[in-house]
Amino acid sequence: MVAKEQLKRYDIFIRNLAPNTTAQDLANFFREAGNILGEPRLKLERGLAWITFDTPGAVEEAVSWSGCYFGSRIMYIEASAQFHAAAKAQSIQTVISSSVYEGGAHYPALCDAVVQKLITPS
C-alpha cells in the first residue's frame, strides 16, 4: 500500500510559452526546482503548460522564477489552485493545533470565559 504522503502532487501553471516549446525542454528547465512527476502537460496553441512536482518546496522554487526568459519569451509561473488550497488548509490546521489543542486535550475557543459566566453568580 502506498503511503498517503506519497500520493500528494503539487502543480504549477506556466503561461506565455512559445509554440515550439517541448515537454523535454520544460522538464530540463524545471528539474532544478525539484523532482517532476510525469511529463509536463502542454497546450501550446494557447502558450500554456502544467508541471507536477512531488513537494511544495519545488513549487515555491519554480514560482520564484516567474518573469524569467524561457527561449525568446518571458514566462509567467503560478502555483495551481490546489496548491493554494492545500497551503491554506495547512495554515488553518497549524493555527487550530497551536491554539485549540493542547497536550492532547481539546479546549473549545473561549472556554474559560464561558465557564466563568456559567459559575459566577449574577
Side-chain angles (χ1 to χ4, degrees):
M1 179 162 221
V2 179
K4 186 177 181 182
E5 190 64 32
Q6 291 175 324
L7 296 175
K8 290 189 176 178
R9 301 160 50 103
Y10 305 93
D11 293 338
I12 60 168
F13 172 66
I14 307 161
R15 296 183 292 123
N16 201 36
L17 293 171
N20 62 344
T21 302
T22 67
Q24 189 61 46
D25 292 338
L26 284 173
N28 290 340
F29 184 84
F30 283 98
R31 190 169 285 122
E32 289 184 39
N35 186 40
I36 297 172
L37 301 177
E39 287 289 316
R41 295 160 323 275
L42 306 174
K43 190 165 186 131
L44 292 177
E45 63 274 11
R46 299 193 64 201
L48 307 175
W50 294 264
I51 295 178
T52 302
F53 292 101
D54 64 349
T55 65
V59 169
E60 291 170 1
E61 178 67 21
V63 168
S64 74
W65 300 344
S66 186
C68 73
Y69 277 91
F70 184 76
S72 62
R73 293 189 176 192
I74 296 174
M75 70 177 156
Y76 302 97
I77 308 160
E78 301 171 19
S80 71
Q82 74 186 41
F83 180 79
H84 291 302
K88 185 175 180 180
Q90 179 61 37
S91 67
I92 290 170
Q93 182 59 38
T94 301
V95 168
I96 289 171
S97 62
S98 65
S99 63
V100 177
Y101 293 91
E102 190 176 315
H106 178 254
Y107 297 102
L110 304 175
C111 183
D112 290 335
V114 172
V115 170
Q116 286 303 316
K117 284 185 178 181
L118 290 173
I119 62 171
T120 304
S122 16

